[in-house]
Amino acid sequence: MKISSILIFSMLMLVSCGPSVQASRSYQQTEVKEQGDSAMYEPSKQGQPGYLKSTPPKLVVGIVVDQMRYDYLTRFAHRYGEGGFNRLVRDGFNATNHHYNYVPTYTAPGHAAIYTGTTPANNGIIGNNWYDKFIEKTIYNASDPDVDPVGTDMNDGRMSPRKLLSTTVTDQLELHSQGRSKVIGISIKDRGAILPAGHAADAAYWFQGNDQGKFITSSYYMSELPEWVQNFNTSSQVRNYLKTWNTLYPLETYTASGKDLNDFERPPRGKDTATFPYDLSALAEKNGQLNLLKATPFGNSIVADFAIAALEAEKLGQGDETDFLAVSFSSTDYIGHQYGVNSVELEDTYLRLDQDLERLFKALDQQVGQGNYTVFLTADHGAVNVPAYLQSKRIEAGYFDGGQFEEKLNQALSDTYNTENLIKNISNDQIFFNHQEMLDAGVNASDLQQFVAQTIINFEHIDKVFTRDALVSGSFTEGTGRLIQNGFHHKRSGDVVYVLEPGVISYPTTGSTHGSSQSYDTHVPLLFYGKGIKPGQSARRYEITDIAPTISSLLQIAFPNASIGNPIVEVLED
């Protein structure tokens, strides 16, 4: 009886308190609203849910500059205009301590990581090319024999994103909008267009040089090129860039670079020295005809021209749903590889790219409207200074002879195991074992991993070695081990991974390359600008896998399905 009385009394108290509780909740929501723009929800009316007060941009433009080190933002800043890089830095958010969190730092893995929000360990893009142990041959990251070329009859068009194992932020946008969003990828390189655009894209276009000089695609996306692409291809826009490349400003003003004539650059075929000017029309025949434009700043200009044409023809940012334009400028990579980090050619390329960016941003202002679009700009990797140049400055650096390395390793294996066929492939700093030969010779996999690791650590220029057993069963939380593990895919990667010393590359003695875990390869720009972006700057460490979750949060859509990054909350207004 006593218990029943207490229950009845409690129920009466809950009923009588109902309006007061409801009023309290409404009051709390109103207070949250009045705290400022950081609040996500408006107060709800009685019986109705709250709603998001921010609206996504009409268009997102993702820009990847191939082989752009962070210091190119600061080194050339005084020479940039107000409407390109400096517009993003001045009016956007600059993440000054932004890094790749895996190796290898190559083009395809970089583009995949930016848009999937995860590393090769999950998205499967472990290199530009890699050895496929199941079919026992080297494959290309975007090659697809099951599609047909469109716009060409060459195999350059047999490409698709099918080797990418996880979704991209662009995929998630298409899923969220039920396919009503338009997603288009554009680049000189096929992988620079295909991987950012994702699996569900409306289109991806890449450049075919030779005597063609046009943008192509594959049947993965469409059966024929749209009329506007055909018109672009038949115009004289591309061929008009086959002209003389001279410095944009007087040569003596290029003080942020080394001397124009030096021993660290590789001239195009048909030219004795890597010095200005470059008569591209005269050099074309010996350098792949219009392919030559890829290794000039005009390759970037062609991409900017095509992106602006796409913006107008496809009416991007004009519909009810958010559209996405993924643009990758790749000529910077070709030029870095050929002329190096410290070259006048590279500086001139970035000054011209700055002008191309300004043209693109002006087109966005006119077509979409300032305040209606969002831009992010980053890079797929950095680059090392030419080791020969570093050596001339008494800085430790050098060159790794891969052929000699393989010979020494095979000799050591032959001496110990009395067989010369235990290694199937060495690529991307990974060693793949011949497992059938191991089985026939009675060699244990773990024992062979340990033997190889203990042997090659004593070779010249080898800094660190990691075995498959350690990468699969262990957990590296910091340092090079973490980067190696993040880049190691259990099915696609090899049996032993080695790391070269800082400043050491496997490359000719002229030009630069990339791929390592060193800061010159991992430290790249990250700029956000436009709708939904809070201007500012931060030296906090951010990682490449944070970009996709940040854009997903801005668009209020699901993260890519294998994403491991975190939204950069300092960037977002809400």
Side-chain angles (χ1 to χ4, degrees):
M1 190 73 178
K2 185 175 181 181
I3 294 174
S4 300
S5 299
I6 293 172
L7 287 172
I8 293 169
F9 177 76
S10 299
M11 291 173 66
L12 289 170
M13 287 297 293
L14 282 171
V15 172
S16 65
C17 288
S20 298
V21 171
Q22 180 64 45
S24 175
R25 286 174 181 165
S26 298
Y27 172 76
Q28 287 173 348
Q29 287 179 329
T30 303
E31 286 298 293
V32 169
K33 177 190 175 184
E34 292 172 354
Q35 287 173 8
D37 288 342
S38 60
M40 273 301 243
Y41 290 90
E42 296 280 13
S44 62
K45 295 178 181 179
Q46 189 167 356
Q48 295 180 354
Y51 60 92
L52 290 164
K53 73 172 186 177
S54 63
T55 56
K58 303 293 284 183
L59 175 68
V60 176
V61 181
I63 299 174
V64 180
V65 183
D66 206 325
Q67 201 187 119
M68 184 177 183
R69 292 161 50 118
Y70 175 80
D71 62 332
Y72 295 165
L73 269 186
T74 56
R75 185 171 140 201
F76 308 136
H78 66 291
R79 309 209 69 188
Y80 292 145
E82 291 303 308
F85 287 113
N86 283 336
R87 177 177 176 179
L88 302 185
V89 172
R90 181 186 65 247
D91 300 332
F93 187 94
N94 182 10
T96 65
N97 189 24
H98 173 241
H99 289 263
Y100 274 84
N101 57 349
Y102 67 85
V103 288
T105 42
Y106 295 142
T107 297
H111 282 79
I114 291 165
Y115 283 87
T116 62
T118 193
T119 68
N122 299 313
N123 65 42
I125 304 300
I126 64 172
N128 293 332
N129 304 277
W130 63 85
Y131 179 73
D132 188 323
K133 67 186 90 174
F134 301 103
I135 60 176
E136 298 187 342
K137 68 178 184 178
T138 298
I139 60 172
Y140 180 65
N141 68 91
S143 63
D144 188 346
D146 295 329
V147 300
D148 295 320
V150 174
T152 180
D153 57 1
M154 300 179 69
N155 286 334
D156 295 1
R158 295 188 186 279
M159 303 288 167
S160 85
R162 287 185 173 129
K163 291 185 179 69
L164 181 64
L165 301 179
S166 58
T167 64
T168 60
V169 62
T170 44
D171 284 333
Q172 297 301 150
L173 177 62
E174 289 276 29
L175 292 171
H176 184 83
S177 69
Q178 303 299 315
R180 291 186 294 271
S181 295
K182 277 189 179 180
V183 172
I184 297 175
I186 296 169
S187 181
I188 286 286
K189 295 180 179 179
D190 47 46
R191 56 190 181 271
I194 291 169
L195 296 173
H199 303 83
D202 295 272
Y205 303 104
W206 53 96
F207 185 75
Q208 183 183 55
N210 302 317
D211 59 347
Q212 303 292 307
K214 61 184 181 181
F215 282 89
I216 63 173
T217 188
S218 80
S219 60
Y220 180 89
Y221 304 98
M222 60 192 72
S223 58
E224 63 179 355
L225 292 174
E227 184 178 358
W228 71 267
V229 178
Q230 296 181 43
N231 291 339
F232 185 94
N233 287 341
T234 55
S235 73
S236 57
Q237 259 181 289
V238 170
R239 197 165 290 277
N240 286 343
Y241 284 112
L242 209 58
K243 56 186 179 180
T244 297
W245 174 22
N246 210 338
T247 51
L248 193 59
Y249 305 107
L251 182 60
E252 64 271 15
T253 66
Y254 285 71
T255 56
S257 304
K259 295 179 180 179
D260 188 28
L261 179 61
N262 60 70
D263 297 327
F264 314 115
E265 303 171 7
R266 184 171 61 258
R269 288 181 291 274
K271 194 172 185 343
D272 294 333
T273 60
T275 53
F276 286 99
Y278 294 87
D279 184 346
L280 303 182
S281 181
L283 293 169
E285 185 176 351
K286 293 184 178 180
N287 293 274
Q289 299 294 342
L290 291 165
N291 273 337
L292 176 62
L293 293 175
K294 296 178 181 180
T296 76
F298 305 129
N300 292 330
S301 299
I302 292 168
V303 169
D305 292 343
F306 192 75
I308 292 169
L311 184 68
E312 181 177 353
E314 297 288 352
K315 294 181 169 46
L316 297 177
Q318 304 298 313
D320 294 331
E321 304 284 349
T322 300
D323 295 328
F324 205 118
L325 178 62
V327 183
S328 293
F329 292 101
S330 304
S331 290
T332 43
D333 184 67
Y334 291 108
I335 291 164
H337 278 296
Q338 185 165 348
Y339 301 100
V341 167
N342 201 46
S343 65
V344 175
E345 286 82 357
L346 189 84
E347 180 177 351
D348 192 67
T349 295
Y350 275 90
L351 298 184
R352 290 177 181 272
L353 175 58
D354 184 59
Q355 295 183 345
D356 287 326
L357 289 174
E358 183 171 359
R359 284 198 298 126
L360 178 58
F361 297 156
K362 284 182 178 179
L364 288 166
D365 291 340
Q366 294 168 3
Q367 296 292 324
V368 186
Q370 192 169 356
N372 290 328
Y373 64 88
T374 304
V375 174
F376 72 82
L377 183 148
T378 188
D380 55 352
H381 52 74
V384 63
N385 245 306
V386 179
Y389 169 73
L390 295 175
Q391 289 171 336
S392 75
K393 298 296 182 181
R394 301 187 300 278
I395 296 174
E396 289 296 317
Y399 294 91
F400 179 73
D401 189 329
Q404 187 180 79
F405 169 81
E406 189 168 358
E407 280 184 23
K408 290 177 63 178
L409 176 56
N410 280 326
Q411 185 61 55
L413 291 170
S414 178
D415 293 343
T416 303
Y417 293 99
N418 198 29
T419 177
E420 298 178 353
N421 299 313
L422 289 173
I423 303 300
K424 197 74 172 178
N425 179 269
I426 300 177
S427 56
N428 295 328
D429 298 342
Q430 297 187 33
I431 301 171
F432 292 79
F433 293 166
N434 185 336
H435 288 269
Q436 184 59 53
E437 182 67 21
M438 290 167 55
L439 187 64
D440 294 343
V443 178
N444 177 271
S446 295
D447 291 343
L448 187 58
Q449 290 174 37
Q450 287 300 320
F451 175 80
V452 170
Q454 291 167 7
T455 298
I456 67 175
I457 194 62
N458 296 311
F459 288 5
E460 185 180 20
H461 295 316
I462 298 292
D463 188 43
K464 297 177 180 66
V465 184
F466 298 87
T467 64
R468 167 175 282 275
D469 286 351
L471 294 170
V472 169
S473 61
S475 180
F476 296 89
T477 59
E478 60 184 6
T480 305
R482 174 176 177 259
L483 273 63
I484 295 292
Q485 195 165 48
N486 283 343
F488 187 88
H489 190 269
H490 284 207
K491 288 183 70 172
R492 293 181 174 179
S493 294
D495 298 286
V496 175
V497 182
Y498 58 87
V499 178
L500 300 180
E501 294 170 345
V504 174
I505 60 175
S506 181
Y507 205 69
T509 56
T510 54
S512 294
T513 193
H514 50 85
S516 79
S517 61
Q518 311 302 336
S519 62
Y520 47 72
D521 283 338
T522 66
H523 189 195
V524 297
L526 177 56
L527 301 169
F528 293 92
Y529 168 88
K531 183 173 177 58
I533 302 301
K534 187 186 301 180
Q537 179 172 299
S538 175
R540 289 182 59 185
R541 183 182 176 95
Y542 303 105
E543 297 187 332
I544 200 71
T545 49
D546 295 333
I547 296 175
T550 301
I551 296 299
S552 296
S553 296
L554 174 73
L555 299 180
Q556 302 163 17
I557 62 176
F559 291 5
N561 62 13
S563 174
I564 62 170
N566 295 302
I568 304 174
V569 295
E570 295 90 341
V571 165
L572 303 173
E573 283 187 342
D574 285 338

